[in-house]
Amino acid sequence: LELRSNHVYDMICENHTRVTEFILLGFTNNPEMQVPLFILFLVIYTVTLLGNFLIITVTSVDPALQTPVYFFLRNLSLLEVCFTLVMVPKMLVDLVSPRKTISFVGCGIQMYFFFFFGSSECFLLSMMAYDRFVAIGNPLRYSVVMNRSLCLWMAVGSWMSGVPVSMLQTAWLMALPFLLKLVTQDTTMYEMQALASTLLFIMFPFSLILVSYTRIIITILRMSSASGRQKAFSTCSSHLIVVSLFYGTASLTYLRPKSNQSPESKKLVSLSYTVITPMLNPIIYSLRNNEVKGAVKRTVSRKVLQKLDVF
Protein backbone atom coordinates (compact mmCIF):
# COMPACT_ATOMS: atom_id res chain seq x y z
CA LEU A 1 0.00 0.00 0.00
CA GLU A 2 2.90 2.34 0.57
CA LEU A 3 3.73 2.16 -3.12
CA ARG A 4 0.71 4.25 -3.95
CA SER A 5 1.12 7.97 -4.35
CA ASN A 6 -1.20 10.72 -3.19
CA HIS A 7 -1.59 11.94 -6.78
CA VAL A 8 -4.99 11.08 -8.18
CA TYR A 9 -6.81 11.15 -11.43
CA ASP A 10 -10.08 12.91 -10.70
CA MET A 11 -13.28 13.88 -12.41
CA ILE A 12 -15.21 17.04 -11.66
CA CYS A 13 -18.92 16.43 -11.33
CA GLU A 14 -21.46 18.94 -9.99
CA ASN A 15 -18.78 21.06 -8.31
CA HIS A 16 -17.49 18.05 -6.33
CA THR A 17 -14.23 16.19 -6.85
CA ARG A 18 -14.77 12.46 -7.13
CA VAL A 19 -11.78 10.13 -7.15
CA THR A 20 -12.03 7.50 -9.89
CA GLU A 21 -8.53 6.04 -9.91
CA PHE A 22 -5.07 6.38 -8.41
CA ILE A 23 -1.84 6.92 -10.32
CA LEU A 24 0.96 4.61 -9.13
CA LEU A 25 4.41 6.17 -9.11
CA GLY A 26 6.28 2.87 -8.78
CA PHE A 27 9.92 2.45 -7.76
CA THR A 28 11.60 4.53 -10.42
CA ASN A 29 10.84 6.89 -13.28
CA ASN A 30 13.81 5.56 -15.24
CA PRO A 31 12.43 3.38 -18.07
CA GLU A 32 15.74 1.50 -18.32
CA MET A 33 15.35 0.21 -14.77
CA GLN A 34 11.78 -1.04 -15.07
CA VAL A 35 12.56 -4.22 -17.03
CA PRO A 36 15.46 -5.27 -14.72
CA LEU A 37 13.20 -4.61 -11.69
CA PHE A 38 10.45 -6.65 -13.32
CA ILE A 39 12.82 -9.58 -13.83
CA LEU A 40 14.18 -9.29 -10.28
CA PHE A 41 10.72 -9.20 -8.65
CA LEU A 42 9.45 -11.97 -10.93
CA VAL A 43 12.33 -14.21 -9.82
CA ILE A 44 11.66 -13.37 -6.16
CA TYR A 45 7.94 -14.01 -6.60
CA THR A 46 8.60 -17.34 -8.32
CA VAL A 47 10.93 -18.42 -5.51
CA THR A 48 8.30 -17.34 -2.97
CA LEU A 49 5.57 -19.40 -4.62
CA LEU A 50 7.79 -22.45 -5.11
CA GLY A 51 9.15 -22.32 -1.55
CA ASN A 52 5.76 -21.93 0.11
CA PHE A 53 4.06 -24.51 -2.09
CA LEU A 54 6.91 -26.90 -1.28
CA ILE A 55 6.28 -26.38 2.44
CA ILE A 56 2.54 -26.93 1.94
CA THR A 57 3.17 -30.11 -0.07
CA VAL A 58 5.71 -31.79 2.21
CA THR A 59 3.79 -30.96 5.41
CA SER A 60 0.64 -32.40 3.82
CA VAL A 61 1.99 -35.68 2.42
CA ASP A 62 4.87 -36.64 4.71
CA PRO A 63 3.68 -38.83 7.62
CA ALA A 64 6.45 -37.57 9.90
CA LEU A 65 5.18 -33.99 9.66
CA GLN A 66 1.57 -34.59 10.74
CA THR A 67 2.02 -32.65 13.97
CA PRO A 68 0.56 -29.31 15.20
CA VAL A 69 3.71 -27.29 14.50
CA TYR A 70 3.70 -28.28 10.82
CA PHE A 71 -0.06 -27.86 10.59
CA PHE A 72 0.42 -24.20 11.59
CA LEU A 73 3.43 -23.90 9.28
CA ARG A 74 1.28 -25.12 6.39
CA ASN A 75 -1.29 -22.42 7.19
CA LEU A 76 1.47 -19.80 7.39
CA SER A 77 2.77 -20.75 3.95
CA LEU A 78 -0.74 -20.60 2.51
CA LEU A 79 -1.19 -17.14 4.03
CA GLU A 80 2.09 -15.99 2.50
CA VAL A 81 0.99 -17.21 -0.94
CA CYS A 82 -2.32 -15.36 -0.65
CA PHE A 83 -0.66 -12.22 0.74
CA THR A 84 1.82 -11.94 -2.12
CA LEU A 85 -0.92 -12.70 -4.63
CA VAL A 86 -2.71 -9.54 -3.51
CA MET A 87 0.22 -7.19 -4.17
CA VAL A 88 2.98 -8.61 -6.35
CA PRO A 89 1.16 -9.47 -9.63
CA LYS A 90 -0.22 -5.92 -9.85
CA MET A 91 3.23 -4.54 -9.11
CA LEU A 92 4.77 -6.67 -11.88
CA VAL A 93 2.14 -5.54 -14.40
CA ASP A 94 2.72 -1.87 -13.53
CA LEU A 95 6.47 -2.22 -14.04
CA VAL A 96 5.99 -3.01 -17.74
CA SER A 97 2.74 -1.16 -18.35
CA PRO A 98 2.68 2.40 -19.74
CA ARG A 99 -0.49 3.16 -17.76
CA LYS A 100 0.18 2.66 -14.05
CA THR A 101 -3.19 3.14 -12.40
CA ILE A 102 -5.62 1.35 -10.14
CA SER A 103 -9.33 2.07 -9.89
CA PHE A 104 -10.90 3.34 -6.68
CA VAL A 105 -12.86 0.08 -6.29
CA GLY A 106 -9.80 -2.01 -7.18
CA CYS A 107 -7.78 -0.14 -4.57
CA GLY A 108 -10.44 -0.86 -1.95
CA ILE A 109 -10.52 -4.56 -2.80
CA GLN A 110 -6.72 -4.77 -2.69
CA MET A 111 -6.59 -3.01 0.68
CA TYR A 112 -9.27 -5.30 2.10
CA PHE A 113 -7.34 -8.47 1.28
CA PHE A 114 -4.04 -6.84 2.26
CA PHE A 115 -5.38 -6.18 5.77
CA PHE A 116 -7.18 -9.53 5.88
CA PHE A 117 -4.13 -11.69 5.19
CA GLY A 118 -1.76 -9.42 7.13
CA SER A 119 -3.84 -9.45 10.32
CA SER A 120 -4.53 -13.18 9.96
CA GLU A 121 -0.79 -13.78 9.85
CA CYS A 122 -0.33 -11.73 13.04
CA PHE A 123 -2.73 -14.00 14.93
CA LEU A 124 -1.41 -17.18 13.35
CA LEU A 125 2.12 -16.30 14.51
CA SER A 126 0.77 -15.89 18.04
CA MET A 127 -0.88 -19.32 17.82
CA MET A 128 2.43 -20.80 16.69
CA ALA A 129 4.16 -19.15 19.66
CA TYR A 130 1.65 -20.77 22.03
CA ASP A 131 2.27 -24.12 20.35
CA ARG A 132 6.02 -23.75 20.98
CA PHE A 133 5.36 -22.82 24.62
CA VAL A 134 3.31 -25.99 25.18
CA ALA A 135 5.95 -28.10 23.41
CA ILE A 136 8.74 -26.75 25.61
CA GLY A 137 6.88 -26.03 28.85
CA ASN A 138 4.75 -29.16 29.00
CA PRO A 139 6.17 -31.72 26.55
CA LEU A 140 4.57 -34.78 28.23
CA ARG A 141 1.05 -33.40 27.70
CA TYR A 142 1.79 -31.74 24.35
CA SER A 143 -0.23 -34.18 22.24
CA VAL A 144 -3.16 -33.95 24.67
CA VAL A 145 -3.21 -30.15 24.91
CA MET A 146 -2.52 -29.46 21.25
CA ASN A 147 -5.08 -31.93 19.98
CA ARG A 148 -6.46 -31.91 16.44
CA SER A 149 -9.66 -30.10 17.38
CA LEU A 150 -7.89 -27.29 19.23
CA CYS A 151 -5.37 -26.78 16.40
CA LEU A 152 -8.19 -26.57 13.88
CA TRP A 153 -10.08 -23.98 15.91
CA MET A 154 -6.89 -21.96 16.46
CA ALA A 155 -6.20 -21.92 12.72
CA VAL A 156 -9.80 -21.00 11.86
CA GLY A 157 -9.75 -18.26 14.50
CA SER A 158 -6.53 -16.85 13.06
CA TRP A 159 -7.98 -16.72 9.55
CA MET A 160 -11.30 -15.25 10.71
CA SER A 161 -9.59 -12.57 12.81
CA GLY A 162 -8.70 -10.86 9.55
CA VAL A 163 -12.37 -10.22 8.67
CA PRO A 164 -13.22 -7.47 11.21
CA VAL A 165 -9.77 -5.91 10.86
CA SER A 166 -9.94 -5.69 7.08
CA MET A 167 -13.53 -4.46 7.03
CA LEU A 168 -12.89 -1.75 9.62
CA GLN A 169 -9.60 -0.56 8.16
CA THR A 170 -10.84 -0.54 4.57
CA ALA A 171 -14.02 1.34 5.51
CA TRP A 172 -12.01 3.99 7.35
CA LEU A 173 -9.38 4.41 4.66
CA MET A 174 -11.81 4.51 1.75
CA ALA A 175 -13.76 7.24 3.57
CA LEU A 176 -10.67 9.46 3.71
CA PRO A 177 -10.63 12.71 1.71
CA PHE A 178 -7.79 11.74 -0.63
CA LEU A 179 -7.25 15.22 -2.06
CA LEU A 180 -5.83 16.49 1.21
CA LYS A 181 -4.27 19.60 -0.35
CA LEU A 182 -7.56 20.62 -1.97
CA VAL A 183 -9.93 20.26 0.96
CA THR A 184 -10.24 21.89 4.36
CA GLN A 185 -11.58 18.85 6.20
CA ASP A 186 -9.57 17.85 9.26
CA THR A 187 -8.24 14.30 8.82
CA THR A 188 -6.73 13.99 12.30
CA MET A 189 -9.56 11.78 13.54
CA TYR A 190 -9.20 9.46 10.54
CA GLU A 191 -5.48 9.14 11.14
CA MET A 192 -5.90 8.52 14.89
CA GLN A 193 -8.56 5.87 14.29
CA ALA A 194 -6.41 4.08 11.73
CA LEU A 195 -3.34 4.21 13.99
CA ALA A 196 -5.29 3.02 17.05
CA SER A 197 -6.86 0.08 15.22
CA THR A 198 -3.53 -0.86 13.64
CA LEU A 199 -1.75 -0.82 16.99
CA LEU A 200 -4.60 -2.79 18.59
CA PHE A 201 -4.61 -5.57 16.04
CA ILE A 202 -0.82 -5.69 15.72
CA MET A 203 0.08 -5.34 19.38
CA PHE A 204 -2.57 -7.73 20.76
CA PRO A 205 -1.18 -10.83 18.98
CA PHE A 206 2.34 -9.52 19.57
CA SER A 207 1.57 -9.38 23.30
CA LEU A 208 0.49 -13.03 23.14
CA ILE A 209 3.77 -13.87 21.42
CA LEU A 210 5.72 -11.90 24.02
CA VAL A 211 4.01 -13.71 26.90
CA SER A 212 4.61 -17.11 25.30
CA TYR A 213 8.29 -16.45 24.69
CA THR A 214 8.78 -14.99 28.15
CA ARG A 215 7.52 -18.24 29.63
CA ILE A 216 9.57 -20.24 27.12
CA ILE A 217 12.76 -18.41 28.15
CA ILE A 218 11.97 -18.96 31.84
CA THR A 219 11.43 -22.67 31.19
CA ILE A 220 14.67 -22.97 29.20
CA LEU A 221 16.71 -21.19 31.88
CA ARG A 222 15.42 -23.62 34.50
CA MET A 223 16.71 -26.62 32.55
CA SER A 224 19.78 -28.19 34.13
CA SER A 225 21.16 -29.70 30.94
CA ALA A 226 22.97 -27.49 28.42
CA SER A 227 22.05 -29.84 25.59
CA GLY A 228 18.42 -29.68 26.71
CA ARG A 229 18.47 -25.89 26.63
CA GLN A 230 20.03 -25.91 23.17
CA LYS A 231 17.48 -28.39 21.84
CA ALA A 232 14.60 -26.43 23.35
CA PHE A 233 15.81 -23.18 21.81
CA SER A 234 16.31 -24.80 18.40
CA THR A 235 12.63 -25.87 18.35
CA CYS A 236 11.48 -22.24 18.36
CA SER A 237 14.40 -20.42 16.68
CA SER A 238 12.87 -20.49 13.18
CA HIS A 239 9.57 -19.11 14.43
CA LEU A 240 11.38 -16.44 16.43
CA ILE A 241 13.28 -15.28 13.32
CA VAL A 242 10.07 -15.13 11.27
CA VAL A 243 8.30 -13.15 14.02
CA SER A 244 11.25 -10.71 14.21
CA LEU A 245 11.15 -10.14 10.44
CA PHE A 246 7.38 -9.69 10.36
CA TYR A 247 7.04 -7.35 13.32
CA GLY A 248 10.32 -5.57 12.59
CA THR A 249 9.12 -4.38 9.18
CA ALA A 250 5.63 -3.65 10.56
CA SER A 251 7.15 -1.47 13.29
CA LEU A 252 9.21 0.44 10.75
CA THR A 253 6.06 1.09 8.76
CA TYR A 254 3.53 2.03 11.45
CA LEU A 255 5.50 3.15 14.50
CA ARG A 256 8.17 5.37 12.97
CA PRO A 257 7.40 9.14 13.04
CA LYS A 258 6.15 10.51 9.74
CA SER A 259 8.85 13.18 9.75
CA ASN A 260 11.49 10.43 9.49
CA GLN A 261 9.87 8.68 6.55
CA SER A 262 11.05 9.63 3.09
CA PRO A 263 9.18 8.25 0.04
CA GLU A 264 12.21 6.10 -0.83
CA SER A 265 12.47 4.56 2.65
CA LYS A 266 8.72 3.86 2.70
CA LYS A 267 9.03 2.03 -0.61
CA LEU A 268 11.92 -0.09 0.69
CA VAL A 269 10.08 -1.01 3.88
CA SER A 270 6.95 -1.86 1.89
CA LEU A 271 9.04 -3.99 -0.44
CA SER A 272 10.50 -5.90 2.49
CA TYR A 273 7.19 -7.09 3.95
CA THR A 274 5.32 -7.56 0.66
CA VAL A 275 8.05 -9.30 -1.35
CA ILE A 276 11.16 -10.21 0.65
CA THR A 277 9.75 -11.59 3.92
CA PRO A 278 7.31 -14.07 2.27
CA MET A 279 10.26 -15.41 0.27
CA LEU A 280 12.49 -15.78 3.34
CA ASN A 281 10.00 -17.62 5.55
CA PRO A 282 10.09 -21.02 3.74
CA ILE A 283 13.87 -20.68 3.37
CA ILE A 284 14.25 -20.10 7.12
CA TYR A 285 12.07 -23.07 8.04
CA SER A 286 13.74 -25.31 5.46
CA LEU A 287 17.37 -24.49 6.24
CA ARG A 288 16.98 -24.51 10.04
CA ASN A 289 14.76 -27.57 10.35
CA ASN A 290 16.20 -31.04 9.77
CA GLU A 291 12.73 -32.60 9.74
CA VAL A 292 11.59 -30.35 6.90
CA LYS A 293 14.82 -30.94 4.96
CA GLY A 294 14.40 -34.69 5.41
CA ALA A 295 10.77 -34.50 4.29
CA VAL A 296 11.74 -32.52 1.19
CA LYS A 297 14.36 -35.14 0.29
CA ARG A 298 11.88 -37.97 0.83
CA THR A 299 9.21 -36.23 -1.25
CA VAL A 300 11.60 -35.48 -4.12
CA SER A 301 12.99 -39.03 -4.03
CA ARG A 302 9.46 -40.46 -4.07
CA LYS A 303 8.55 -38.38 -7.13
CA VAL A 304 11.74 -39.41 -8.95
CA LEU A 305 11.10 -43.08 -8.22
CA GLN A 306 7.53 -42.79 -9.43
CA LYS A 307 8.72 -41.31 -12.72
CA LEU A 308 11.33 -44.06 -13.11
CA ASP A 309 8.65 -46.69 -12.52
CA VAL A 310 6.57 -45.16 -15.31
CA PHE A 311 9.44 -45.56 -17.76
Side-chain angles (χ1 to χ4, degrees):
L1 292 177
E2 298 294 340
L3 304 182
R4 299 190 180 93
S5 72
N6 288 329
H7 301 286
V8 297
Y9 175 85
D10 56 84
M11 179 177 69
I12 306 300
C13 181
E14 297 180 358
N15 297 325
H16 293 282
T17 301
R18 181 162 59 89
V19 177
T20 59
E21 59 184 18
F22 296 89
I23 299 174
L24 308 177
L25 294 182
F27 290 99
T28 177
N29 293 323
N30 186 354
E32 297 180 355
M33 289 297 298
Q34 292 181 356
V35 173
L37 285 175
F38 172 84
I39 296 173
L40 174 62
F41 294 149
L42 180 61
V43 170
I44 293 175
Y45 186 49
T46 302
V47 173
T48 300
L49 293 180
L50 291 176
N52 282 290
F53 276 124
L54 182 63
I55 293 292
I56 293 171
T57 301
V58 298
T59 57
S60 299
V61 303
D62 194 281
L65 301 185
Q66 304 307 307
T67 57
V69 61
Y70 296 111
F71 170 75
F72 290 123
L73 179 57
R74 181 162 61 249
N75 278 267
L76 178 63
S77 293
L78 183 58
L79 271 174
E80 296 288 23
V81 170
C82 296
F83 184 77
T84 55
L85 187 63
V86 173
M87 306 296 295
V88 180
K90 175 62 176 172
M91 182 178 67
L92 291 173
V93 170
D94 289 334
L95 281 171
V96 294
S97 174
R99 182 175 172 80
K100 300 175 174 57
T101 61
I102 186 170
S103 67
F104 183 79
V105 174
C107 179
I109 294 173
Q110 190 181 62
M111 282 197 298
Y112 175 87
F113 285 105
F114 173 84
F115 287 123
F116 174 79
F117 293 120
S119 57
S120 297
E121 185 168 343
C122 286
F123 281 90
L124 183 62
L125 288 173
S126 67
M127 298 300 102
M128 295 175 73
Y130 176 75
D131 171 75
R132 292 298 83 204
F133 161 69
V134 176
I136 294 174
N138 201 350
L140 297 179
R141 300 190 68 247
Y142 175 72
S143 59
V144 176
V145 176
M146 299 301 297
N147 56 73
R148 185 181 183 86
S149 177
L150 178 62
C151 291
L152 181 60
W153 279 110
M154 290 170 69
V156 171
S158 298
W159 281 85
M160 290 298 100
S161 66
V163 175
V165 179
S166 55
M167 291 181 65
L168 191 62
Q169 286 280 44
T170 303
W172 277 344
L173 288 175
M174 298 308 288
L176 280 170
F178 290 97
L179 299 179
L180 296 179
K181 294 183 179 180
L182 302 181
V183 298
T184 58
Q185 183 174 351
D186 185 12
T187 62
T188 303
M189 184 58 65
Y190 289 104
E191 295 177 4
M192 292 300 295
Q193 288 175 338
L195 179 61
S197 62
T198 299
L199 290 177
L200 174 63
F201 290 110
I202 287 180
M203 297 308 296
F204 177 69
F206 180 74
S207 299
L208 297 178
I209 294 173
L210 192 61
V211 170
S212 295
Y213 271 103
T214 299
R215 300 183 70 176
I216 287 173
I217 292 173
I218 293 173
T219 302
I220 292 176
L221 292 178
R222 288 176 177 174
M223 293 180 178
S224 57
S225 171
S227 61
R229 289 194 296 269
Q230 183 178 1
K231 183 179 179 180
F233 179 76
S234 66
T235 62
C236 57
S237 58
S238 297
H239 177 258
L240 190 58
I241 294 173
V242 170
V243 168
S244 300
L245 286 172
F246 183 86
Y247 279 97
T249 53
S251 300
L252 289 175
T253 302
Y254 296 108
L255 301 182
R256 193 170 55 168
K258 287 186 176 181
S259 58
N260 296 336
Q261 297 187 34
S262 65
E264 291 74 18
S265 64
K266 290 168 68 176
K267 290 178 183 179
L268 289 175
V269 173
S270 300
L271 181 67
S272 65
Y273 67 74
T274 56
V275 180
I276 304 300
T277 301
M279 179 190 68
L280 292 178
N281 287 354
I283 296 176
I284 292 170
Y285 274 104
S286 298
L287 294 180
R288 298 184 60 85
N289 192 308
N290 291 327
E291 290 182 335
V292 173
K293 286 190 289 186
V296 170
K297 292 178 181 178
R298 289 191 296 271
T299 302
V300 173
S301 300
R302 193 180 303 116
K303 294 296 182 181
V304 172
L305 290 175
Q306 288 175 353
K307 289 184 178 181
L308 291 176
D309 290 339
V310 172
F311 291 105

